[in-house]
Amino acid sequence: MLSEDLKNRLLLAASKAREQAYAPYSSGFKVGAAVLTEEGEIFSGCNIENASLGATMCAERVAIFEAVSKGHRKIQAVAIVAESPNPVPPCGMCLQVMSEFGQDIGIILANTEGDIELYNIEELLPKSFKFQHLDE
Ligand code: THU
């Protein structure tokens, strides 16, 4: 279980990252994410949209890739903040990417109103694709 302090630090980092979101093609749907690594470091990211809509990158993957590109390989938790009536869960592609870097990842969802929901990756993606599935 994550401490309240760590949860708050992750949510703050995700909120700050959200301010940098580049979201002109979704009427400004800004998302921020923050990743807590096994070593206790926090990396963050925002969504970055593109005129070629399929080239858009979600905030979660920007934050995960930031952590991985700095040498981290295990994720403890991910926080996501967006402005929506209810906290938004990560998309399937982001969950699959997360699952590459941890089996027991805590996922903290929040909206800008301060509503918070807590999940585990197992709940949101019970069966992720694993490379060994190719051999089954
Ligand atoms: N988005 C994220 O950043 N994370 C998600 O989990 C879902 C969607 C972004 C992508 C796009 O910029 C905007 O939200 C609308 O889909």
Side-chain angles (χ1 to χ4, degrees):
M1 258 313 270
L2 280 185
S3 67
E4 281 302 303
D5 177 56
L6 267 175
K7 249 181 263 173
N8 290 336
R9 282 172 53 200
L10 276 173
L11 285 169
L12 192 66
S15 294
K16 280 197 83 172
R18 183 178 169 271
E19 291 169 15
Q20 305 303 331
Y22 177 69
Y25 303 106
S26 61
S27 311
F29 188 70
K30 297 181 174 190
V31 185
V35 163
L36 178 70
T37 67
E38 188 175 52
E39 294 83 8
E41 279 187 67
I42 292 175
F43 294 86
S44 61
C46 58
N47 53 330
I48 303 172
E49 298 184 348
N50 191 274
S52 171
L53 301 176
T56 290
M57 185 56 66
C58 293
E60 295 90 326
R61 273 175 290 157
V62 172
I64 294 165
F65 294 159
E66 173 74 3
V68 173
S69 65
K70 295 291 186 306
H72 299 276
R73 295 290 183 268
K74 270 267 177 288
I75 291 173
Q76 283 192 56
V78 180
I80 298 129
V81 176
E83 186 175 9
S84 52
N86 295 302
V88 289
C91 78
M93 217 184 286
C94 288
L95 287 167
Q96 174 67 29
V97 170
M98 265 178 227
S99 74
E100 184 80 23
F101 300 107
Q103 281 148 358
D104 188 27
I105 300 175
I107 300 180
I108 306 153
L109 309 180
N111 60 13
T112 50
E113 294 296 300
D115 299 312
I116 295 175
E117 294 176 11
L118 301 177
Y119 296 94
N120 185 283
I121 192 164
E122 276 288 318
E123 295 174 85
L124 300 184
L125 188 69
K127 265 196 173 289
S128 65
F129 176 76
K130 299 274 187 323
F131 202 63
Q132 58 266 31
H133 288 154
L134 296 178
D135 297 328
E136 283 171 2

